[in-house]
Amino acid sequence: MVNTVFIHTNERQYLGALVSEYSLRRNSATPEDFEVRLLHSRDFEFLGAREGQDYLRAGNPRTWRMDDLQSFTPLRFLPPALMQWQGRAVVMDPDIFAVGDICELFGRDMKGAAVMGRRRSGKAEKSHFIATSVMLLDCACLRHWDAPAQFEELFRFERDYKEWMVLAHENPANLGFLEPYWNDFDHLDQNTRLLHNTRRRTQPWKTGLHVDYTPADKFKRRPLLRSLNRARARWFGEYALLGRYRQHPDRKQQDFFFGLLKECLDRGHVSEALLREEISRRHIRPDAMEVVARTPDLAA
């Protein structure tokens, strides 16, 4: 089985996934040594079947929406089955872009681990949690992963989404940890291998658009604010009154994304027609064409 990178995505992040795919091949010395597959949420009926239904997230009910910015996340657990439980796979979000060579990761000594990813948190009590936005998988060791069945457990309140996403219930013996530069959270320097624009509010291709994602519930200890936030969503709409995407604080990360997009357009990996369609659908900032035009070319 050929080593494969799986990029999971949805309608709102599709163009990001295409740019991510391009970056993987562009920045590898041996792009013929791996395949890239896009997993689009619309192609998996088990996700759409639960539209509008409540599931368990961080101990509370939340409504499943296919149009949420991150409705693709349950697809993180599909690759072992898609690989027929053979070989190695990398699974990653569509807002992650290769700076280094992904083949370094495929050649990694996993030291018996079934899953490797960077630590999700620096807190001692959460030190065993994995950031599943980038995972290196030994597929033969993950036969217990059943994404559709585990997704259904969320709606029976038998599984908590937040715990699922950090592999809280995975056997610790199955886990190994990657250096942060393999999933660099909004940080780009000479060591970065995979740049993750993980702060949704400042994703460079979204600047100026209205927020279209469900924010994390950070009001656990403030019941009045929690109630007001839920009332806002109920009365005005899921994304109402949440403001707009802001400029990314690091200009070189914006230039990196738009430099990649510029090359995608030049090489036909992304068509101008598709980019204009994504702009019209408000998936990409309205001035994207102008930003591409003024972005410096990336180094070879």
Side-chain angles (χ1 to χ4, degrees), residues 39-70:
L39 304 180
H40 199 300
S41 59
R42 68 187 173 204
D43 296 327
F44 297 93
E45 294 183 3
F46 72 91
L47 296 179
R50 288 294 188 171
E51 174 68 23
Q53 300 181 33
D54 285 350
Y55 68 102
L56 185 63
R57 181 165 179 163
N60 294 284
R62 293 279 285 272
T63 303
W64 177 254
R65 302 291 185 194
M66 284 293 285
D67 69 349
D68 187 78
L69 191 68
Q70 292 187 297

mmCIF file of all heavy atoms in Angstrom, residues 39-70:
data_model
loop_
_atom_site.group_PDB
_atom_site.id
_atom_site.type_symbol
_atom_site.label_atom_id
_atom_site.label_comp_id
_atom_site.label_asym_id
_atom_site.label_seq_id
_atom_site.Cartn_x
_atom_site.Cartn_y
_atom_site.Cartn_z
ATOM 1 N N LEU A 39 -10.543 14.031 1.257
ATOM 2 C CA LEU A 39 -11.783 13.460 1.795
ATOM 3 C C LEU A 39 -12.759 14.613 2.003
ATOM 4 O O LEU A 39 -12.561 15.443 2.898
ATOM 5 C CB LEU A 39 -11.521 12.741 3.121
ATOM 6 C CG LEU A 39 -10.470 11.634 3.112
ATOM 7 C CD1 LEU A 39 -10.337 11.034 4.508
ATOM 8 C CD2 LEU A 39 -10.814 10.550 2.098
ATOM 9 N N HIS A 40 -13.786 14.686 1.182
ATOM 10 C CA HIS A 40 -14.739 15.790 1.235
ATOM 11 C C HIS A 40 -15.975 15.352 2.028
ATOM 12 O O HIS A 40 -16.535 14.281 1.771
ATOM 13 C CB HIS A 40 -15.134 16.212 -0.177
ATOM 14 C CG HIS A 40 -15.739 17.577 -0.271
ATOM 15 N ND1 HIS A 40 -16.889 17.934 0.398
ATOM 16 C CD2 HIS A 40 -15.337 18.701 -0.942
ATOM 17 C CE1 HIS A 40 -17.189 19.193 0.128
ATOM 18 N NE2 HIS A 40 -16.257 19.673 -0.675
ATOM 19 N N SER A 41 -16.403 16.178 2.951
ATOM 20 C CA SER A 41 -17.515 15.805 3.832
ATOM 21 C C SER A 41 -18.782 15.445 3.063
ATOM 22 O O SER A 41 -19.559 14.593 3.501
ATOM 23 C CB SER A 41 -17.810 16.944 4.812
ATOM 24 O OG SER A 41 -18.150 18.129 4.100
ATOM 25 N N ARG A 42 -18.994 16.069 1.879
ATOM 26 C CA ARG A 42 -20.223 15.802 1.129
ATOM 27 C C ARG A 42 -20.277 14.363 0.615
ATOM 28 O O ARG A 42 -21.362 13.870 0.249
ATOM 29 C CB ARG A 42 -20.317 16.768 -0.043
ATOM 30 C CG ARG A 42 -19.268 16.538 -1.118
ATOM 31 C CD ARG A 42 -19.268 17.603 -2.183
ATOM 32 N NE ARG A 42 -18.134 17.409 -3.090
ATOM 33 C CZ ARG A 42 -17.592 18.384 -3.811
ATOM 34 N NH1 ARG A 42 -18.083 19.605 -3.721
ATOM 35 N NH2 ARG A 42 -16.569 18.130 -4.608
ATOM 36 N N ASP A 43 -19.145 13.686 0.563
ATOM 37 C CA ASP A 43 -19.090 12.331 0.006
ATOM 38 C C ASP A 43 -19.356 11.242 1.041
ATOM 39 O O ASP A 43 -19.309 10.056 0.698
ATOM 40 C CB ASP A 43 -17.717 12.090 -0.635
ATOM 41 C CG ASP A 43 -17.464 13.016 -1.818
ATOM 42 O OD1 ASP A 43 -18.443 13.354 -2.516
ATOM 43 O OD2 ASP A 43 -16.298 13.402 -2.030
ATOM 44 N N PHE A 44 -19.641 11.631 2.276
ATOM 45 C CA PHE A 44 -19.827 10.645 3.345
ATOM 46 C C PHE A 44 -21.196 10.851 3.974
ATOM 47 O O PHE A 44 -21.420 11.775 4.762
ATOM 48 C CB PHE A 44 -18.696 10.768 4.364
ATOM 49 C CG PHE A 44 -17.351 10.453 3.771
ATOM 50 C CD1 PHE A 44 -16.550 11.465 3.243
ATOM 51 C CD2 PHE A 44 -16.909 9.145 3.685
ATOM 52 C CE1 PHE A 44 -15.321 11.174 2.664
ATOM 53 C CE2 PHE A 44 -15.684 8.847 3.101
ATOM 54 C CZ PHE A 44 -14.892 9.865 2.590
ATOM 55 N N GLU A 45 -22.115 9.955 3.607
ATOM 56 C CA GLU A 45 -23.520 10.122 3.980
ATOM 57 C C GLU A 45 -23.727 10.126 5.486
ATOM 58 O O GLU A 45 -24.670 10.750 5.984
ATOM 59 C CB GLU A 45 -24.359 9.028 3.336
ATOM 60 C CG GLU A 45 -24.427 9.114 1.819
ATOM 61 C CD GLU A 45 -25.330 8.053 1.217
ATOM 62 O OE1 GLU A 45 -25.935 7.286 2.008
ATOM 63 O OE2 GLU A 45 -25.422 7.980 -0.020
ATOM 64 N N PHE A 46 -22.886 9.418 6.225
ATOM 65 C CA PHE A 46 -23.114 9.335 7.669
ATOM 66 C C PHE A 46 -23.000 10.706 8.332
ATOM 67 O O PHE A 46 -23.585 10.929 9.398
ATOM 68 C CB PHE A 46 -22.181 8.313 8.326
ATOM 69 C CG PHE A 46 -20.732 8.710 8.429
ATOM 70 C CD1 PHE A 46 -20.249 9.381 9.554
ATOM 71 C CD2 PHE A 46 -19.830 8.387 7.419
ATOM 72 C CE1 PHE A 46 -18.908 9.725 9.663
ATOM 73 C CE2 PHE A 46 -18.491 8.712 7.525
ATOM 74 C CZ PHE A 46 -18.022 9.394 8.644
ATOM 75 N N LEU A 47 -22.276 11.644 7.727
ATOM 76 C CA LEU A 47 -22.193 12.993 8.280
ATOM 77 C C LEU A 47 -23.477 13.775 8.015
ATOM 78 O O LEU A 47 -24.076 14.348 8.932
ATOM 79 C CB LEU A 47 -20.995 13.736 7.678
ATOM 80 C CG LEU A 47 -19.603 13.184 7.977
ATOM 81 C CD1 LEU A 47 -18.546 14.028 7.273
ATOM 82 C CD2 LEU A 47 -19.329 13.159 9.481
ATOM 83 N N GLY A 48 -23.906 13.795 6.774
ATOM 84 C CA GLY A 48 -25.095 14.560 6.412
ATOM 85 C C GLY A 48 -26.370 14.031 7.031
ATOM 86 O O GLY A 48 -27.328 14.794 7.242
ATOM 87 N N ALA A 49 -26.393 12.758 7.352
ATOM 88 C CA ALA A 49 -27.609 12.154 7.906
ATOM 89 C C ALA A 49 -27.975 12.717 9.271
ATOM 90 O O ALA A 49 -29.118 12.590 9.710
ATOM 91 C CB ALA A 49 -27.441 10.635 7.998
ATOM 92 N N ARG A 50 -27.014 13.337 9.935
ATOM 93 C CA ARG A 50 -27.270 13.862 11.283
ATOM 94 C C ARG A 50 -27.453 15.382 11.320
ATOM 95 O O ARG A 50 -27.432 15.983 12.396
ATOM 96 C CB ARG A 50 -26.107 13.470 12.204
ATOM 97 C CG ARG A 50 -26.087 11.993 12.567
ATOM 98 C CD ARG A 50 -27.287 11.625 13.411
ATOM 99 N NE ARG A 50 -27.204 10.265 13.936
ATOM 100 C CZ ARG A 50 -28.045 9.769 14.839
ATOM 101 N NH1 ARG A 50 -29.025 10.524 15.294
ATOM 102 N NH2 ARG A 50 -27.910 8.531 15.256
ATOM 103 N N GLU A 51 -27.636 15.988 10.165
ATOM 104 C CA GLU A 51 -27.811 17.432 10.095
ATOM 105 C C GLU A 51 -28.925 17.906 11.030
ATOM 106 O O GLU A 51 -30.032 17.362 11.053
ATOM 107 C CB GLU A 51 -28.158 17.846 8.653
ATOM 108 C CG GLU A 51 -28.518 19.307 8.458
ATOM 109 C CD GLU A 51 -27.324 20.241 8.672
ATOM 110 O OE1 GLU A 51 -26.166 19.772 8.537
ATOM 111 O OE2 GLU A 51 -27.552 21.426 8.960
ATOM 112 N N GLY A 52 -28.610 18.926 11.841
ATOM 113 C CA GLY A 52 -29.593 19.537 12.730
ATOM 114 C C GLY A 52 -29.848 18.798 14.020
ATOM 115 O O GLY A 52 -30.680 19.230 14.834
ATOM 116 N N GLN A 53 -29.152 17.677 14.253
ATOM 117 C CA GLN A 53 -29.361 16.891 15.468
ATOM 118 C C GLN A 53 -28.298 17.223 16.514
ATOM 119 O O GLN A 53 -27.202 17.677 16.197
ATOM 120 C CB GLN A 53 -29.340 15.400 15.134
ATOM 121 C CG GLN A 53 -30.430 14.995 14.145
ATOM 122 C CD GLN A 53 -30.410 13.508 13.842
ATOM 123 O OE1 GLN A 53 -30.077 12.691 14.694
ATOM 124 N NE2 GLN A 53 -30.779 13.140 12.622
ATOM 125 N N ASP A 54 -28.640 16.993 17.763
ATOM 126 C CA ASP A 54 -27.739 17.316 18.867
ATOM 127 C C ASP A 54 -26.767 16.179 19.142
ATOM 128 O O ASP A 54 -27.126 15.000 19.075
ATOM 129 C CB ASP A 54 -28.536 17.608 20.143
ATOM 130 C CG ASP A 54 -29.201 18.977 20.118
ATOM 131 O OD1 ASP A 54 -28.889 19.761 19.196
ATOM 132 O OD2 ASP A 54 -30.031 19.253 20.996
ATOM 133 N N TYR A 55 -25.545 16.564 19.455
ATOM 134 C CA TYR A 55 -24.507 15.611 19.832
ATOM 135 C C TYR A 55 -23.798 16.127 21.072
ATOM 136 O O TYR A 55 -24.003 17.279 21.500
ATOM 137 C CB TYR A 55 -23.522 15.389 18.678
ATOM 138 C CG TYR A 55 -22.662 16.590 18.333
ATOM 139 C CD1 TYR A 55 -21.335 16.670 18.740
ATOM 140 C CD2 TYR A 55 -23.176 17.643 17.579
ATOM 141 C CE1 TYR A 55 -20.550 17.764 18.411
ATOM 142 C CE2 TYR A 55 -22.398 18.733 17.239
ATOM 143 C CZ TYR A 55 -21.078 18.797 17.663
ATOM 144 O OH TYR A 55 -20.306 19.883 17.339
ATOM 145 N N LEU A 56 -22.957 15.297 21.655
ATOM 146 C CA LEU A 56 -22.289 15.647 22.911
ATOM 147 C C LEU A 56 -20.927 16.271 22.614
ATOM 148 O O LEU A 56 -20.088 15.667 21.945
ATOM 149 C CB LEU A 56 -22.117 14.396 23.777
ATOM 150 C CG LEU A 56 -21.536 14.617 25.185
ATOM 151 C CD1 LEU A 56 -22.472 15.482 26.021
ATOM 152 C CD2 LEU A 56 -21.310 13.267 25.875
ATOM 153 N N ARG A 57 -20.720 17.469 23.142
ATOM 154 C CA ARG A 57 -19.442 18.163 22.957
ATOM 155 C C ARG A 57 -19.098 18.902 24.242
ATOM 156 O O ARG A 57 -19.846 19.767 24.684
ATOM 157 C CB ARG A 57 -19.505 19.134 21.789
ATOM 158 C CG ARG A 57 -18.195 19.870 21.530
ATOM 159 C CD ARG A 57 -18.209 20.530 20.179
ATOM 160 N NE ARG A 57 -16.980 21.249 19.916
ATOM 161 C CZ ARG A 57 -16.579 21.655 18.724
ATOM 162 N NH1 ARG A 57 -17.335 21.403 17.662
ATOM 163 N NH2 ARG A 57 -15.449 22.301 18.558
ATOM 164 N N ALA A 58 -17.964 18.529 24.821
ATOM 165 C CA ALA A 58 -17.504 19.142 26.074
ATOM 166 C C ALA A 58 -18.571 19.053 27.153
ATOM 167 O O ALA A 58 -18.772 19.984 27.940
ATOM 168 C CB ALA A 58 -17.083 20.593 25.848
ATOM 169 N N GLY A 59 -19.288 17.919 27.178
ATOM 170 C CA GLY A 59 -20.269 17.669 28.227
ATOM 171 C C GLY A 59 -21.619 18.302 27.999
ATOM 172 O O GLY A 59 -22.509 18.184 28.855
ATOM 173 N N ASN A 60 -21.823 18.973 26.851
ATOM 174 C CA ASN A 60 -23.069 19.679 26.589
ATOM 175 C C ASN A 60 -23.577 19.373 25.183
ATOM 176 O O ASN A 60 -22.801 19.015 24.298
ATOM 177 C CB ASN A 60 -22.856 21.191 26.722
ATOM 178 C CG ASN A 60 -22.533 21.601 28.139
ATOM 179 O OD1 ASN A 60 -23.396 21.646 28.996
ATOM 180 N ND2 ASN A 60 -21.262 21.899 28.393
ATOM 181 N N PRO A 61 -24.878 19.523 24.968
ATOM 182 C CA PRO A 61 -25.420 19.297 23.631
ATOM 183 C C PRO A 61 -25.042 20.432 22.680
ATOM 184 O O PRO A 61 -25.079 21.604 23.049
ATOM 185 C CB PRO A 61 -26.934 19.254 23.864
ATOM 186 C CG PRO A 61 -27.155 20.033 25.122
ATOM 187 C CD PRO A 61 -25.939 19.819 25.961
ATOM 188 N N ARG A 62 -24.666 20.066 21.448
ATOM 189 C CA ARG A 62 -24.425 21.024 20.376
ATOM 190 C C ARG A 62 -25.131 20.502 19.135
ATOM 191 O O ARG A 62 -25.359 19.294 19.000
ATOM 192 C CB ARG A 62 -22.925 21.162 20.094
ATOM 193 C CG ARG A 62 -22.131 21.796 21.207
ATOM 194 C CD ARG A 62 -22.225 23.308 21.212
ATOM 195 N NE ARG A 62 -21.417 23.890 20.152
ATOM 196 C CZ ARG A 62 -20.133 24.209 20.297
ATOM 197 N NH1 ARG A 62 -19.502 23.981 21.443
ATOM 198 N NH2 ARG A 62 -19.475 24.761 19.305
ATOM 199 N N THR A 63 -25.470 21.384 18.231
ATOM 200 C CA THR A 63 -26.193 20.997 17.025
ATOM 201 C C THR A 63 -25.211 20.752 15.879
ATOM 202 O O THR A 63 -24.348 21.593 15.612
ATOM 203 C CB THR A 63 -27.206 22.078 16.625
ATOM 204 O OG1 THR A 63 -28.106 22.309 17.720
ATOM 205 C CG2 THR A 63 -28.009 21.635 15.410
ATOM 206 N N TRP A 64 -25.341 19.600 15.241
ATOM 207 C CA TRP A 64 -24.463 19.254 14.127
ATOM 208 C C TRP A 64 -24.904 19.990 12.868
ATOM 209 O O TRP A 64 -26.050 19.910 12.449
ATOM 210 C CB TRP A 64 -24.494 17.745 13.876
ATOM 211 C CG TRP A 64 -23.660 17.338 12.705
ATOM 212 C CD1 TRP A 64 -24.095 16.952 11.477
ATOM 213 C CD2 TRP A 64 -22.233 17.290 12.661
ATOM 214 N NE1 TRP A 64 -23.033 16.665 10.657
ATOM 215 C CE2 TRP A 64 -21.872 16.866 11.358
ATOM 216 C CE3 TRP A 64 -21.221 17.554 13.579
ATOM 217 C CZ2 TRP A 64 -20.545 16.706 10.961
ATOM 218 C CZ3 TRP A 64 -19.906 17.392 13.193
ATOM 219 C CH2 TRP A 64 -19.578 16.982 11.898
ATOM 220 N N ARG A 65 -23.967 20.746 12.287
ATOM 221 C CA ARG A 65 -24.231 21.498 11.071
ATOM 222 C C ARG A 65 -23.186 21.152 10.017
ATOM 223 O O ARG A 65 -21.993 21.315 10.248
ATOM 224 C CB ARG A 65 -24.172 23.005 11.343
ATOM 225 C CG ARG A 65 -25.139 23.517 12.398
ATOM 226 C CD ARG A 65 -26.581 23.439 11.925
ATOM 227 N NE ARG A 65 -27.496 24.039 12.898
ATOM 228 C CZ ARG A 65 -28.815 23.864 12.867
ATOM 229 N NH1 ARG A 65 -29.367 23.106 11.911
ATOM 230 N NH2 ARG A 65 -29.577 24.428 13.782
ATOM 231 N N MET A 66 -23.644 20.715 8.869
ATOM 232 C CA MET A 66 -22.722 20.373 7.794
ATOM 233 C C MET A 66 -22.039 21.605 7.216
ATOM 234 O O MET A 66 -20.985 21.506 6.600
ATOM 235 C CB MET A 66 -23.454 19.618 6.689
ATOM 236 C CG MET A 66 -23.762 18.175 7.031
ATOM 237 S SD MET A 66 -22.261 17.160 7.175
ATOM 238 C CE MET A 66 -21.819 16.974 5.449
ATOM 239 N N ASP A 67 -22.650 22.788 7.392
ATOM 240 C CA ASP A 67 -22.034 23.984 6.843
ATOM 241 C C ASP A 67 -21.075 24.654 7.820
ATOM 242 O O ASP A 67 -20.532 25.726 7.531
ATOM 243 C CB ASP A 67 -23.108 24.978 6.371
ATOM 244 C CG ASP A 67 -23.904 25.611 7.519
ATOM 245 O OD1 ASP A 67 -23.775 25.124 8.675
ATOM 246 O OD2 ASP A 67 -24.643 26.570 7.265
ATOM 247 N N ASP A 68 -20.832 24.025 8.973
ATOM 248 C CA ASP A 68 -19.842 24.586 9.889
ATOM 249 C C ASP A 68 -18.457 24.471 9.265
ATOM 250 O O ASP A 68 -18.173 23.552 8.488
ATOM 251 C CB ASP A 68 -19.866 23.850 11.230
ATOM 252 C CG ASP A 68 -18.972 24.514 12.268
ATOM 253 O OD1 ASP A 68 -19.387 25.535 12.835
ATOM 254 O OD2 ASP A 68 -17.840 24.028 12.475
ATOM 255 N N LEU A 69 -17.581 25.385 9.629
ATOM 256 C CA LEU A 69 -16.257 25.450 9.029
ATOM 257 C C LEU A 69 -15.470 24.165 9.230
ATOM 258 O O LEU A 69 -14.608 23.822 8.424
ATOM 259 C CB LEU A 69 -15.485 26.637 9.624
ATOM 260 C CG LEU A 69 -14.176 27.025 8.941
ATOM 261 C CD1 LEU A 69 -14.429 27.592 7.548
ATOM 262 C CD2 LEU A 69 -13.391 28.027 9.786
ATOM 263 N N GLN A 70 -15.766 23.416 10.303
ATOM 264 C CA GLN A 70 -14.987 22.220 10.616
ATOM 265 C C GLN A 70 -15.826 20.947 10.642
ATOM 266 O O GLN A 70 -15.537 20.017 11.384
ATOM 267 C CB GLN A 70 -14.256 22.405 11.944
ATOM 268 C CG GLN A 70 -13.145 23.459 11.872
ATOM 269 C CD GLN A 70 -12.319 23.504 13.133
ATOM 270 O OE1 GLN A 70 -12.834 23.815 14.196
ATOM 271 N NE2 GLN A 70 -11.047 23.190 13.013
#
